Amino acid sequence: MINLKFPFFSRKRRFLIVSNYVADNQQSMIRFSSLMKSVYSKYGSVCIVSPPVFLTRLPFFPKKFNKYLAYIDKLIIFPPYLLVLSYFFDLVHIGDHSNAFYSFVCPSNRTIITCHDLLAVRAAMGDDTVACESSFLGPIFQFLVMTGLRHTKAIGFDSKATFQDYLKLGGSPNSQNHKVIHIPLNASFVSDPILLGQNELNFELPKTPYLLMVGSAQPRKNRKLALQLLESLGPTGSYNLIFAGEGLTDSEVTFKKSSKFGCNLFSVVSPSHELLNSLYCNAHALLFPSISEGFGWPLIEAQSSGCPVIASTATSIPEVAGRGALYALPNDVDMFKHHVIKLEDFVIRTRMISLGFENLNRFDLDTFTCKYLELASSL
């Protein structure tokens, strides 16, 4: 139904969502594009486009060059096509700030960018506190990202923390419109594991309580702390640890083989939605010790699944998890251990789960939709 509060949406519109390079396998960004499609499809037709995977598919190039060949696909082959295509749409939404440079080939008065984080930009500028790696081309690429962000007329930021980073990095020309728009859940999570059809999950949960980490193995995710925590809790053998998402790194495989607590470490690579929901429901707690984040979808996924959260105090994390988490500094193994044991108390555990459900009220789809409609109408 058309929302008459916003004149831009007084008739059916054509929307173009610029998504991510498929070969980069950025699942969270692909999910965000699907989320935006569900928002805009109520008001017209939606097309999702992404840079073609061309050079990285050619068999005669060594795989070690794929990262640099991808730059050609993204920066040389795709922009001319997008330049022509974008003029056939009423609104262009670049769904990931890492593609912000495409704003130069899109109509400036009809383009929105969503900025999820500026951690890579900070890293490229020499900020090692974000624990992000930067290649030798990183400074050039991130310069293009920041220039593209400054060029567009409207930006939505996932968190206040990311918006503050943008201001500190010299963004926000006077002509720009900005909104901090918290992301809602992009799928349904239930808190009762009985509703999930356990026979179809193809994963046997550990017999003892387990701690869960969800996401990639990037250094900033701080899986190293989780291994230290496992060792600290280990003498009684009462806890296991599951990494869900990206597979074990070489150092984590070494830990599993050589540490006496290696048998307590499990890996679930790219779990289905149902399995992920089940892992949340049955976990003792979600561990989220990230050194830096732009938002943190697992925080609200866990809360929606009735899973207590133990998180770091870094960047956007307290803003997102709110009162529904126990906090520690990202390097404080002892405090993480204290919180793990604290959640053994039924009263405390029940209270944290309740606060998590309460926190979810800030991340509803209607508010998200309304704010992006307002941002689009400001163009």
Side-chain angles (χ1 to χ4, degrees):
M1 182 176 179
I2 302 299
N3 191 330
L4 297 180
K5 284 174 59 181
F6 308 109
F8 179 87
F9 297 92
S10 60
R11 64 176 178 82
K12 292 287 186 179
R13 297 284 181 168
R14 294 167 296 174
F15 302 93
L16 179 65
I17 298 173
V18 181
S19 190
N20 290 64
Y21 190 63
V22 176
D24 286 342
N25 196 31
Q26 294 176 298
Q27 291 300 315
S28 61
M29 294 299 95
I30 294 172
R31 286 186 289 152
F32 181 78
S33 294
S34 297
L35 177 63
M36 291 311 310
K37 181 178 181 179
S38 70
V39 168
Y40 290 135
S41 61
K42 300 174 184 177
Y43 304 97
S45 60
V46 182
C47 175
I48 298 179
V49 66
S50 58
V53 180
F54 177 62
L55 290 181
T56 55
R57 283 183 175 172
L58 298 180
F60 44 80
F61 286 116
K63 288 186 177 180
K64 66 180 180 180
F65 294 128
N66 278 359
K67 181 175 182 178
Y68 305 104
L69 293 172
Y71 285 140
I72 299 176
D73 284 346
K74 297 174 188 177
L75 299 176
I76 297 177
I77 296 177
F78 184 55
Y81 172 71
L82 182 60
L83 173 67
V84 175
L85 181 66
S86 63
Y87 276 90
F88 292 94
F89 290 84
D90 299 298
L91 183 72
V92 179
H93 191 139
I94 300 173
D96 182 5
H97 59 279
S98 66
N99 296 323
F101 40 79
Y102 293 142
S103 66
F104 290 107
V105 297
C106 296
S108 61
N109 62 337
R110 287 184 274 137
T111 300
I112 291 175
I113 298 176
T114 293
C115 186
H116 301 285
D117 69 73
L118 291 169
L119 305 177
V121 176
R122 289 172 57 182
M125 293 183 174
D127 184 352
D128 57 6
T129 64
V130 294
C132 291
E133 299 173 347
S134 181
S135 68
F136 76 94
L137 289 178
I140 298 173
F141 190 78
Q142 299 307 329
F143 171 79
L144 291 175
V145 169
M146 279 302 297
T147 305
L149 286 171
R150 293 190 187 102
H151 177 259
T152 196
K153 293 292 180 68
I155 307 178
F157 294 90
D158 287 356
S159 65
K160 293 178 183 177
T162 297
F163 180 48
Q164 290 303 315
D165 279 349
Y166 183 59
L167 297 179
K168 291 175 183 176
L169 290 167
S172 192
N174 291 333
S175 59
Q176 279 189 333
N177 297 311
H178 314 99
K179 277 189 179 295
V180 173
I181 307 174
H182 289 149
I183 312 173
L185 291 167
N186 72 321
S188 175
F189 287 85
V190 300
S191 57
D192 185 354
I194 296 176
L195 301 175
L196 292 170
Q198 296 290 318
N199 293 331
E200 302 176 4
L201 296 179
N202 298 318
F203 179 76
E204 185 176 350
L205 297 173
K207 297 296 188 293
T208 56
Y210 64 85
L211 304 170
L212 177 66
M213 278 194 70
V214 176
S216 74
Q218 296 176 38
R220 68 182 179 86
K221 297 295 184 178
N222 204 14
R223 297 206 317 196
K224 180 180 178 181
L225 178 133
L227 296 180
Q228 294 171 339
L229 177 61
L230 182 61
E231 290 183 317
S232 181
L233 291 164
T236 62
S238 57
Y239 283 96
N240 290 304
L241 173 64
I242 297 178
F243 289 155
E246 189 173 346
L248 299 181
T249 64
D250 291 342
S251 62
E252 290 162 357
V253 170
T254 299
F255 175 92
K256 186 168 179 60
K257 290 179 178 179
S258 61
S259 172
K260 62 181 178 180
F261 305 111
C263 61
N264 297 94
L265 175 62
F266 297 81
S267 174
V268 182
V269 180
S270 302
S272 66
H273 173 73
E274 291 77 14
L275 176 53
L276 179 61
N277 197 163
S278 179
L279 290 171
Y280 281 132
C281 286
N282 292 284
H284 179 72
L286 172 74
L287 292 181
F288 205 80
S290 294
I291 296 168
S292 59
E293 288 287 342
F295 186 77
W297 245 332
L299 294 167
I300 57 175
E301 290 175 352
Q303 290 175 339
S304 183
S305 304
C307 176
V309 175
I310 307 173
S312 80
T313 55
T315 56
S316 65
I317 297 170
E319 176 187 343
V320 175
R323 297 174 63 221
L326 299 170
Y327 293 102
L329 294 172
N331 60 350
D332 193 341
V333 177
D334 289 339
M335 184 56 72
F336 271 92
K337 179 180 178 180
H338 171 76
H339 289 326
V340 169
I341 296 171
K342 188 176 181 178
L343 286 172
E344 294 174 357
D345 184 307
F346 177 78
V347 174
I348 294 174
R349 182 179 186 82
T350 302
R351 179 173 178 272
M352 293 311 302
I353 291 173
S354 177
L355 288 173
F357 285 132
E358 183 181 308
N359 183 59
L360 291 171
N361 293 329
R362 301 189 295 125
F363 302 95
D364 66 286
L365 181 59
D366 288 343
T367 300
F368 175 83
T369 299
C370 185
K371 288 188 175 182
Y372 265 110
L373 298 187
E374 289 174 348
L375 194 61
S377 296
S378 71
L379 293 173

